[in-house]
Amino acid sequence: MDYKSDKYFKDFIEYNDIGLPIAFLVDNDLVEPSKLATQYVYETWDIFLAALEIKEDLGWESLEEVFHHVDNKDK
């Protein structure tokens, strides 16, 4: 939600208009995900990592950790 107005994420958020809300609902324990919902969430995560040019999930706990990794990967 913090990045919905960010110009750099506009296309990503528009394309993942199903996966992002499902991920939010699942993360906040508001719904139990179905198999299809889980597929949407994983696809959204994979697209996000690819957009940031990250080749593998390193088990981050927050977006801030992901962004910190991106900021420091070329140093």
Side-chain angles (χ1 to χ4, degrees):
M1 295 299 291
D2 294 339
Y3 300 95
K4 69 181 181 181
S5 298
D6 189 305
K7 67 180 180 181
Y8 298 107
F9 289 101
K10 183 179 185 296
D11 290 338
F12 172 77
I13 290 170
E14 287 178 3
Y15 182 80
N16 292 286
D17 61 337
I18 295 175
L20 289 170
I22 293 171
F24 175 83
L25 293 169
V26 171
D27 186 53
N28 288 284
D29 297 321
L30 298 172
V31 297
E32 186 69 31
S34 67
K35 185 177 179 179
L36 181 59
T38 300
Q39 289 174 326
Y40 272 110
V41 171
Y42 281 127
E43 177 183 323
T44 298
W45 181 246
D46 291 342
I47 292 168
F48 178 68
L49 293 180
L52 295 174
E53 298 178 354
I54 297 174
K55 297 190 184 337
E56 65 179 310
D57 184 340
L58 298 176
W60 300 284
E61 295 292 323
S62 68
L63 285 178
E64 287 74 25
E65 287 181 18
V66 175
F67 295 143
H68 179 74
H69 173 79
V70 170
D71 289 342
N72 293 301
K73 73 178 180 178
D74 294 326
K75 292 180 181 180

Coordinates of all heavy atoms in Angstrom, one line a residue:
M1 N 0.8 -1.2 0.0 CA 0.0 0.0 0.0 C 0.9 1.3 0.0 O 0.5 2.3 -0.5 CB -0.9 0.0 1.2 CG -2.0 -1.1 1.2 SD -3.1 -1.1 -0.2 CE -4.0 0.4 0.2
D2 N 2.0 1.2 0.6 CA 2.9 2.4 0.7 C 3.4 2.8 -0.7 O 3.8 4.0 -0.8 CB 4.1 2.1 1.6 CG 3.7 1.9 3.1 OD1 2.6 2.3 3.4 OD2 4.4 1.3 3.8
Y3 N 3.4 1.9 -1.6 CA 4.0 2.3 -2.9 C 3.0 2.4 -4.1 O 3.4 2.5 -5.2 CB 5.0 1.2 -3.3 CG 6.1 1.1 -2.3 CD1 6.1 0.2 -1.2 CD2 7.2 2.0 -2.3 CE1 7.1 0.1 -0.3 CE2 8.2 1.9 -1.4 CZ 8.1 1.0 -0.3 OH 9.1 0.9 0.6
K4 N 1.7 2.4 -3.7 CA 0.7 2.4 -4.8 C 0.7 3.7 -5.7 O 0.3 3.7 -6.8 CB -0.7 2.2 -4.2 CG -1.2 3.3 -3.4 CD -2.6 3.0 -2.8 CE -3.0 4.2 -2.0 NZ -4.3 3.9 -1.4
S5 N 1.2 4.8 -5.1 CA 1.3 6.0 -5.9 C 2.7 6.3 -6.5 O 2.9 7.3 -7.1 CB 0.9 7.2 -5.0 OG -0.4 7.1 -4.6
D6 N 3.6 5.4 -6.2 CA 5.0 5.6 -6.7 C 5.1 5.3 -8.2 O 4.6 4.3 -8.7 CB 5.9 4.6 -6.0 CG 7.4 4.8 -6.2 OD1 7.8 4.8 -7.4 OD2 8.1 4.9 -5.3
K7 N 5.6 6.3 -8.9 CA 5.6 6.2 -10.4 C 6.4 5.0 -10.9 O 6.2 4.5 -12.0 CB 6.1 7.5 -11.0 CG 7.6 7.8 -10.7 CD 8.1 9.1 -11.4 CE 9.5 9.3 -11.1 NZ 10.0 10.6 -11.6
Y8 N 7.4 4.5 -10.1 CA 8.2 3.4 -10.6 C 7.5 2.1 -10.4 O 7.9 1.1 -11.1 CB 9.5 3.4 -9.7 CG 10.4 4.6 -9.9 CD1 10.5 5.5 -8.9 CD2 11.0 4.8 -11.2 CE1 11.3 6.7 -9.1 CE2 11.8 5.9 -11.4 CZ 11.9 6.9 -10.3 OH 12.7 8.0 -10.5
F9 N 6.4 2.0 -9.6 CA 5.7 0.8 -9.4 C 4.3 0.8 -10.1 O 3.6 -0.2 -10.0 CB 5.5 0.5 -7.9 CG 6.8 0.1 -7.2 CD1 7.5 1.1 -6.5 CD2 7.3 -1.1 -7.3 CE1 8.7 0.7 -5.9 CE2 8.4 -1.5 -6.7 CZ 9.2 -0.6 -6.0
K10 N 4.0 1.9 -10.8 CA 2.7 2.0 -11.4 C 2.3 0.8 -12.3 O 1.3 0.2 -12.1 CB 2.6 3.3 -12.2 CG 1.2 3.6 -12.8 CD 1.3 4.9 -13.5 CE -0.1 5.3 -14.1 NZ -0.6 4.5 -15.1
D11 N 3.2 0.5 -13.2 CA 2.9 -0.6 -14.2 C 2.8 -2.0 -13.4 O 1.9 -2.8 -13.7 CB 4.0 -0.7 -15.2 CG 3.9 0.4 -16.2 OD1 2.8 1.1 -16.3 OD2 4.9 0.7 -16.9
F12 N 3.7 -2.2 -12.5 CA 3.7 -3.4 -11.7 C 2.4 -3.6 -10.9 O 1.8 -4.6 -10.9 CB 4.9 -3.4 -10.7 CG 4.9 -4.6 -9.8 CD1 5.2 -5.8 -10.2 CD2 4.5 -4.4 -8.5 CE1 5.2 -6.9 -9.3 CE2 4.4 -5.4 -7.6 CZ 4.8 -6.7 -8.0
I13 N 2.0 -2.5 -10.3 CA 0.8 -2.6 -9.5 C -0.5 -2.8 -10.4 O -1.4 -3.6 -10.0 CB 0.6 -1.3 -8.6 CG1 1.7 -1.3 -7.5 CG2 -0.8 -1.2 -8.0 CD1 1.9 -0.1 -6.7
E14 N -0.5 -2.1 -11.5 CA -1.6 -2.3 -12.4 C -1.7 -3.7 -13.0 O -2.8 -4.3 -13.1 CB -1.6 -1.2 -13.5 CG -1.9 0.2 -13.1 CD -1.8 1.2 -14.2 OE1 -1.5 0.8 -15.4 OE2 -2.0 2.4 -13.9
Y15 N -0.6 -4.2 -13.3 CA -0.5 -5.6 -13.9 C -0.9 -6.6 -12.8 O -1.6 -7.6 -13.2 CB 0.9 -5.9 -14.5 CG 1.0 -7.3 -15.1 CD1 0.5 -7.5 -16.4 CD2 1.5 -8.3 -14.4 CE1 0.5 -8.7 -17.0 CE2 1.5 -9.6 -15.0 CZ 1.1 -9.8 -16.3 OH 1.1 -11.0 -16.8
N16 N -0.5 -6.4 -11.6 CA -0.8 -7.4 -10.5 C -2.0 -7.0 -9.7 O -1.9 -7.1 -8.5 CB 0.5 -7.5 -9.7 CG 1.6 -8.2 -10.5 OD1 1.6 -9.4 -10.7 ND2 2.6 -7.4 -10.9
D17 N -3.0 -6.5 -10.3 CA -4.2 -6.0 -9.6 C -5.0 -7.1 -8.9 O -5.8 -6.8 -8.1 CB -5.1 -5.3 -10.6 CG -5.6 -6.1 -11.7 OD1 -5.0 -7.1 -12.1 OD2 -6.7 -5.8 -12.3
I18 N -4.6 -8.4 -9.2 CA -5.3 -9.5 -8.5 C -4.3 -10.1 -7.4 O -4.6 -10.2 -6.3 CB -5.7 -10.6 -9.4 CG1 -6.8 -10.1 -10.3 CG2 -6.2 -11.8 -8.6 CD1 -7.3 -11.0 -11.4
G19 N -3.1 -10.3 -7.8 CA -2.1 -10.9 -6.9 C -1.7 -10.1 -5.7 O -1.6 -10.6 -4.6
L20 N -1.6 -8.8 -5.9 CA -1.3 -7.9 -4.8 C -2.4 -7.9 -3.7 O -2.1 -8.0 -2.5 CB -0.9 -6.5 -5.2 CG 0.4 -6.4 -6.0 CD1 0.5 -5.0 -6.6 CD2 1.5 -6.6 -5.0
P21 N -3.7 -7.7 -4.1 CA -4.7 -7.7 -3.0 C -4.8 -9.1 -2.3 O -5.0 -9.1 -1.1 CB -6.0 -7.4 -3.8 CG -5.5 -6.6 -5.0 CD -4.2 -7.2 -5.3
I22 N -4.6 -10.1 -3.1 CA -4.7 -11.5 -2.5 C -3.5 -11.6 -1.5 O -3.7 -12.1 -0.4 CB -4.6 -12.6 -3.6 CG1 -5.9 -12.6 -4.4 CG2 -4.4 -13.9 -2.9 CD1 -5.8 -13.5 -5.6
A23 N -2.3 -11.2 -1.9 CA -1.2 -11.3 -1.0 C -1.4 -10.5 0.3 O -1.1 -10.9 1.4 CB 0.1 -10.7 -1.7
F24 N -2.0 -9.3 0.2 CA -2.4 -8.5 1.3 C -3.3 -9.2 2.3 O -3.1 -9.3 3.5 CB -3.0 -7.1 0.9 CG -3.4 -6.3 2.0 CD1 -2.5 -5.5 2.7 CD2 -4.8 -6.3 2.4 CE1 -3.0 -4.7 3.8 CE2 -5.2 -5.5 3.5 CZ -4.3 -4.7 4.2
L25 N -4.4 -9.8 1.7 CA -5.4 -10.5 2.5 C -4.8 -11.7 3.2 O -5.1 -11.9 4.4 CB -6.6 -10.9 1.6 CG -7.4 -9.8 1.0 CD1 -8.4 -10.3 0.0 CD2 -8.2 -9.0 2.1
V26 N -4.0 -12.4 2.5 CA -3.3 -13.6 3.1 C -2.4 -13.2 4.1 O -2.3 -13.8 5.2 CB -2.6 -14.5 2.0 CG1 -1.8 -15.6 2.6 CG2 -3.7 -15.1 1.0
D27 N -1.5 -12.2 3.9 CA -0.5 -11.8 4.8 C -1.2 -11.3 6.1 O -0.6 -11.4 7.2 CB 0.3 -10.7 4.2 CG 1.5 -10.2 5.1 OD1 2.3 -11.1 5.5 OD2 1.6 -9.0 5.4
N28 N -2.3 -10.7 6.0 CA -3.0 -10.2 7.2 C -4.0 -11.2 7.8 O -4.9 -10.9 8.6 CB -3.7 -8.9 6.9 CG -2.7 -7.8 6.7 OD1 -2.2 -7.3 7.7 ND2 -2.4 -7.4 5.5
D29 N -3.9 -12.5 7.4 CA -4.8 -13.6 7.9 C -6.2 -13.3 7.7 O -7.0 -13.6 8.6 CB -4.4 -13.9 9.3 CG -3.0 -14.4 9.5 OD1 -2.5 -15.2 8.6 OD2 -2.3 -14.1 10.5
L30 N -6.6 -12.6 6.7 CA -8.0 -12.3 6.4 C -8.7 -13.3 5.6 O -9.9 -13.4 5.6 CB -8.2 -10.9 5.8 CG -7.6 -9.7 6.6 CD1 -7.6 -8.5 5.8 CD2 -8.4 -9.6 7.9
V31 N -7.9 -14.1 4.9 CA -8.5 -15.2 4.1 C -7.5 -16.4 4.1 O -6.3 -16.2 4.3 CB -8.7 -14.8 2.6 CG1 -9.7 -13.7 2.5 CG2 -7.4 -14.4 1.9
E32 N -8.0 -17.6 3.9 CA -7.2 -18.7 3.7 C -7.0 -18.9 2.2 O -8.0 -19.0 1.4 CB -7.9 -20.0 4.3 CG -7.1 -21.2 4.3 CD -5.9 -21.2 5.2 OE1 -6.0 -20.5 6.3 OE2 -4.9 -21.8 4.9
P33 N -5.8 -18.9 1.7 CA -5.6 -18.9 0.2 C -6.0 -20.3 -0.4 O -5.7 -21.3 0.1 CB -4.1 -18.6 0.0 CG -3.5 -19.1 1.3 CD -4.5 -18.9 2.4
S34 N -6.6 -20.2 -1.6 CA -6.9 -21.4 -2.4 C -5.6 -21.7 -3.2 O -4.7 -20.9 -3.2 CB -8.0 -21.1 -3.3 OG -7.7 -20.1 -4.3
K35 N -5.6 -22.8 -3.9 CA -4.5 -23.1 -4.7 C -4.2 -22.0 -5.8 O -3.1 -21.6 -6.0 CB -4.7 -24.5 -5.4 CG -3.5 -25.0 -6.2 CD -3.7 -26.4 -6.7 CE -2.6 -26.8 -7.5 NZ -2.7 -28.2 -8.0
L36 N -5.3 -21.6 -6.4 CA -5.2 -20.5 -7.4 C -4.7 -19.2 -6.8 O -3.9 -18.5 -7.4 CB -6.6 -20.3 -8.1 CG -6.6 -19.3 -9.2 CD1 -5.6 -19.6 -10.3 CD2 -8.0 -19.1 -9.8
A37 N -5.2 -18.9 -5.7 CA -4.8 -17.6 -5.0 C -3.3 -17.7 -4.7 O -2.5 -16.7 -4.9 CB -5.5 -17.4 -3.7
T38 N -2.8 -18.8 -4.3 CA -1.4 -19.0 -4.0 C -0.6 -18.9 -5.2 O 0.5 -18.2 -5.2 CB -1.2 -20.4 -3.3 OG1 -1.9 -20.5 -2.1 CG2 0.3 -20.7 -3.0
Q39 N -1.1 -19.4 -6.4 CA -0.4 -19.2 -7.6 C -0.2 -17.7 -8.0 O 0.8 -17.3 -8.5 CB -1.1 -20.0 -8.7 CG -0.9 -21.5 -8.6 CD -1.8 -22.2 -9.6 OE1 -2.9 -21.8 -10.0 NE2 -1.3 -23.4 -10.1
Y40 N -1.3 -17.0 -7.8 CA -1.3 -15.6 -8.1 C -0.2 -14.8 -7.3 O 0.5 -14.0 -7.8 CB -2.6 -14.9 -7.9 CG -3.6 -14.9 -9.0 CD1 -4.7 -15.7 -9.0 CD2 -3.3 -14.1 -10.2 CE1 -5.6 -15.8 -10.1 CE2 -4.2 -14.2 -11.2 CZ -5.3 -15.0 -11.2 OH -6.2 -15.0 -12.2
V41 N -0.2 -15.2 -6.0 CA 0.8 -14.5 -5.1 C 2.2 -14.9 -5.5 O 3.1 -14.0 -5.6 CB 0.5 -14.9 -3.6 CG1 1.6 -14.4 -2.7 CG2 -0.9 -14.4 -3.2
Y42 N 2.5 -16.1 -5.8 CA 3.8 -16.5 -6.2 C 4.2 -15.9 -7.5 O 5.4 -15.4 -7.7 CB 4.0 -18.0 -6.3 CG 4.2 -18.7 -4.9 CD1 3.3 -19.7 -4.5 CD2 5.1 -18.3 -4.0 CE1 3.5 -20.4 -3.3 CE2 5.3 -18.9 -2.8 CZ 4.5 -19.9 -2.5 OH 4.6 -20.5 -1.2
E43 N 3.3 -15.8 -8.4 CA 3.6 -15.2 -9.7 C 3.9 -13.7 -9.5 O 4.8 -13.1 -10.1 CB 2.4 -15.3 -10.7 CG 2.6 -14.6 -12.0 CD 1.5 -14.7 -12.9 OE1 0.8 -15.7 -13.0 OE2 1.2 -13.7 -13.6
T44 N 3.1 -13.0 -8.7 CA 3.3 -11.6 -8.4 C 4.7 -11.4 -7.8 O 5.5 -10.5 -8.1 CB 2.2 -11.1 -7.5 OG1 1.0 -11.2 -8.1 CG2 2.5 -9.6 -7.1
W45 N 5.1 -12.2 -6.8 CA 6.4 -12.1 -6.2 C 7.5 -12.4 -7.2 O 8.5 -11.6 -7.2 CB 6.5 -13.1 -5.0 CG 7.8 -13.1 -4.3 CD1 8.7 -14.1 -4.2 CD2 8.3 -12.0 -3.5 NE1 9.8 -13.7 -3.4 CE2 9.5 -12.4 -3.0 CE3 7.8 -10.8 -3.1 CZ2 10.3 -11.6 -2.1 CZ3 8.6 -10.0 -2.3 CH2 9.8 -10.4 -1.8
D46 N 7.4 -13.3 -8.0 CA 8.4 -13.6 -9.1 C 8.6 -12.4 -10.0 O 9.7 -12.1 -10.4 CB 8.1 -14.9 -9.8 CG 8.2 -16.1 -9.0 OD1 8.9 -16.1 -7.9 OD2 7.6 -17.2 -9.4
I47 N 7.5 -11.8 -10.4 CA 7.5 -10.7 -11.3 C 8.2 -9.5 -10.6 O 9.0 -8.8 -11.2 CB 6.1 -10.3 -11.8 CG1 5.6 -11.3 -12.7 CG2 6.1 -8.9 -12.4 CD1 4.1 -11.2 -13.0
F48 N 7.9 -9.3 -9.3 CA 8.5 -8.3 -8.5 C 10.0 -8.5 -8.4 O 10.8 -7.5 -8.7 CB 7.9 -8.3 -7.1 CG 8.5 -7.2 -6.2 CD1 8.3 -5.9 -6.4 CD2 9.2 -7.6 -5.1 CE1 8.8 -4.9 -5.6 CE2 9.8 -6.7 -4.2 CZ 9.6 -5.3 -4.5
L49 N 10.5 -9.7 -8.1 CA 11.9 -9.9 -8.1 C 12.6 -9.7 -9.4 O 13.7 -9.1 -9.5 CB 12.2 -11.3 -7.5 CG 11.8 -11.6 -6.1 CD1 12.1 -13.1 -5.8 CD2 12.5 -10.7 -5.1
A50 N 11.9 -10.2 -10.5 CA 12.5 -10.0 -11.8 C 12.6 -8.5 -12.2 O 13.6 -8.1 -12.8 CB 11.6 -10.7 -12.8
A51 N 11.6 -7.7 -11.8 CA 11.6 -6.3 -12.1 C 12.8 -5.6 -11.4 O 13.3 -4.6 -11.9 CB 10.3 -5.6 -11.7
L52 N 13.2 -6.1 -10.2 CA 14.3 -5.6 -9.4 C 15.6 -6.2 -9.8 O 16.6 -6.0 -9.2 CB 14.0 -5.7 -7.9 CG 12.8 -4.9 -7.4 CD1 12.6 -5.3 -5.9 CD2 13.1 -3.4 -7.6
E53 N 15.5 -7.1 -10.8 CA 16.7 -7.9 -11.3 C 17.4 -8.7 -10.1 O 18.6 -8.8 -10.0 CB 17.7 -6.9 -11.9 CG 17.2 -6.2 -13.1 CD 18.2 -5.2 -13.7 OE1 19.2 -5.0 -13.2 OE2 17.8 -4.7 -14.8
I54 N 16.5 -9.3 -9.4 CA 16.9 -10.2 -8.3 C 16.7 -11.7 -8.8 O 15.6 -12.0 -9.2 CB 16.2 -10.0 -7.0 CG1 16.5 -8.6 -6.5 CG2 16.5 -11.0 -5.9 CD1 15.6 -8.2 -5.3
K55 N 17.7 -12.5 -8.7 CA 17.6 -13.8 -9.3 C 17.0 -14.9 -8.4 O 16.5 -15.9 -8.8 CB 19.0 -14.3 -9.8 CG 19.5 -13.4 -10.9 CD 20.8 -14.0 -11.5 CE 21.4 -13.1 -12.5 NZ 20.7 -12.2 -13.3
E56 N 17.1 -14.6 -7.0 CA 16.5 -15.6 -6.1 C 16.0 -14.9 -4.9 O 16.5 -13.9 -4.5 CB 17.6 -16.7 -5.7 CG 18.7 -16.1 -5.0 CD 19.7 -17.2 -4.6 OE1 19.3 -18.2 -4.0 OE2 20.9 -16.9 -4.8
D57 N 15.0 -15.6 -4.2 CA 14.5 -15.1 -3.0 C 15.4 -15.5 -1.9 O 15.7 -16.6 -1.7 CB 13.1 -15.7 -2.8 CG 12.4 -15.2 -1.6 OD1 13.0 -14.7 -0.6 OD2 11.1 -15.4 -1.5
L58 N 15.9 -14.5 -1.1 CA 16.8 -14.7 0.0 C 16.1 -14.7 1.3 O 16.8 -14.7 2.4 CB 17.9 -13.7 0.0 CG 18.8 -13.7 -1.3 CD1 19.8 -12.6 -1.3 CD2 19.5 -15.1 -1.5
G59 N 14.8 -14.8 1.3 CA 14.0 -14.9 2.6 C 13.8 -13.6 3.3 O 13.8 -13.6 4.6
W60 N 13.6 -12.5 2.6 CA 13.4 -11.2 3.2 C 12.1 -11.2 4.0 O 11.2 -11.9 3.7 CB 13.4 -10.1 2.2 CG 14.6 -10.0 1.4 CD1 15.8 -9.5 1.8 CD2 14.8 -10.5 0.1 NE1 16.7 -9.6 0.8 CE2 16.2 -10.2 -0.3 CE3 14.0 -11.2 -0.9 CZ2 16.7 -10.5 -1.5 CZ3 14.6 -11.5 -2.1 CH2 15.9 -11.2 -2.4
E61 N 12.1 -10.4 5.1 CA 10.9 -10.3 5.9 C 10.1 -9.0 5.6 O 9.0 -8.9 6.1 CB 11.4 -10.2 7.4 CG 12.0 -11.5 7.9 CD 11.0 -12.7 7.9 OE1 9.9 -12.5 8.3 OE2 11.4 -13.8 7.6
S62 N 10.7 -8.1 4.8 CA 10.0 -6.8 4.5 C 10.5 -6.3 3.2 O 11.5 -6.7 2.7 CB 10.2 -5.8 5.6 OG 11.6 -5.4 5.6
L63 N 9.7 -5.4 2.6 CA 10.1 -4.7 1.4 C 11.3 -3.9 1.6 O 12.2 -3.8 0.7 CB 9.0 -3.8 0.8 CG 7.8 -4.5 0.2 CD1 6.7 -3.5 -0.2 CD2 8.3 -5.4 -1.0
E64 N 11.4 -3.3 2.8 CA 12.6 -2.5 3.1 C 13.9 -3.4 3.0 O 14.9 -2.9 2.5 CB 12.5 -1.9 4.5 CG 11.5 -0.7 4.6 CD 10.0 -1.2 4.5 OE1 9.7 -2.4 4.9 OE2 9.2 -0.4 4.1
E65 N 13.8 -4.6 3.5 CA 15.0 -5.5 3.3 C 15.3 -5.8 1.9 O 16.5 -5.8 1.5 CB 14.7 -6.8 4.1 CG 14.8 -6.7 5.5 CD 14.5 -8.1 6.2 OE1 14.7 -9.1 5.6 OE2 14.2 -8.0 7.4
V66 N 14.3 -6.0 1.0 CA 14.5 -6.2 -0.4 C 15.1 -5.0 -1.0 O 16.1 -5.1 -1.7 CB 13.2 -6.5 -1.1 CG1 13.4 -6.6 -2.6 CG2 12.5 -7.8 -0.5
F67 N 14.6 -3.8 -0.7 CA 15.2 -2.6 -1.3 C 16.6 -2.3 -0.8 O 17.4 -1.8 -1.6 CB 14.3 -1.4 -1.0 CG 12.9 -1.4 -1.6 CD1 11.8 -1.0 -1.0 CD2 12.8 -2.0 -2.9 CE1 10.6 -1.0 -1.6 CE2 11.5 -2.1 -3.5 CZ 10.4 -1.6 -2.9
H68 N 16.9 -2.6 0.4 CA 18.2 -2.5 1.0 C 19.2 -3.4 0.2 O 20.3 -3.0 -0.2 CB 18.3 -2.8 2.5 CG 19.6 -2.7 3.1 ND1 20.2 -1.5 3.3 CD2 20.5 -3.7 3.5 CE1 21.4 -1.8 3.9 NE2 21.6 -3.1 3.9
H69 N 18.7 -4.6 -0.1 CA 19.5 -5.6 -0.9 C 19.8 -5.0 -2.2 O 21.0 -5.1 -2.7 CB 18.8 -6.9 -1.0 CG 19.4 -7.9 -1.9 ND1 20.5 -8.7 -1.5 CD2 19.2 -8.2 -3.2 CE1 20.9 -9.4 -2.6 NE2 20.1 -9.2 -3.6
V70 N 18.8 -4.5 -2.9 CA 19.0 -3.9 -4.2 C 19.9 -2.8 -4.2 O 20.8 -2.7 -5.1 CB 17.6 -3.5 -4.8 CG1 17.8 -2.7 -6.1 CG2 16.7 -4.7 -5.1
D71 N 19.8 -1.9 -3.2 CA 20.6 -0.7 -3.1 C 22.1 -1.1 -2.9 O 23.0 -0.4 -3.3 CB 20.2 0.2 -2.0 CG 18.9 0.9 -2.3 OD1 18.5 1.0 -3.5 OD2 18.3 1.4 -1.3
N72 N 22.3 -2.3 -2.3 CA 23.7 -2.6 -1.9 C 24.3 -3.8 -2.7 O 25.4 -4.2 -2.5 CB 23.7 -3.0 -0.4 CG 23.5 -1.8 0.5 OD1 24.2 -0.8 0.4 ND2 22.5 -1.9 1.3
K73 N 23.5 -4.3 -3.7 CA 24.1 -5.5 -4.4 C 25.2 -5.2 -5.3 O 26.0 -6.1 -5.7 CB 22.9 -6.2 -5.1 CG 22.4 -5.5 -6.3 CD 21.3 -6.4 -7.0 CE 20.8 -5.7 -8.2 NZ 19.8 -6.5 -8.9
D74 N 25.3 -3.9 -5.8 CA 26.4 -3.6 -6.7 C 27.6 -2.9 -6.0 O 28.5 -2.5 -6.6 CB 25.9 -2.6 -7.8 CG 24.9 -3.3 -8.7 OD1 25.1 -4.6 -8.9 OD2 23.9 -2.7 -9.1
K75 N 27.6 -2.9 -4.7 CA 28.6 -2.3 -3.9 C 29.7 -3.3 -3.5 O 29.6 -4.4 -3.5 CB 28.1 -1.6 -2.7 CG 27.2 -0.4 -3.0 CD 26.7 0.2 -1.8 CE 25.8 1.4 -2.2 NZ 25.2 2.1 -1.1

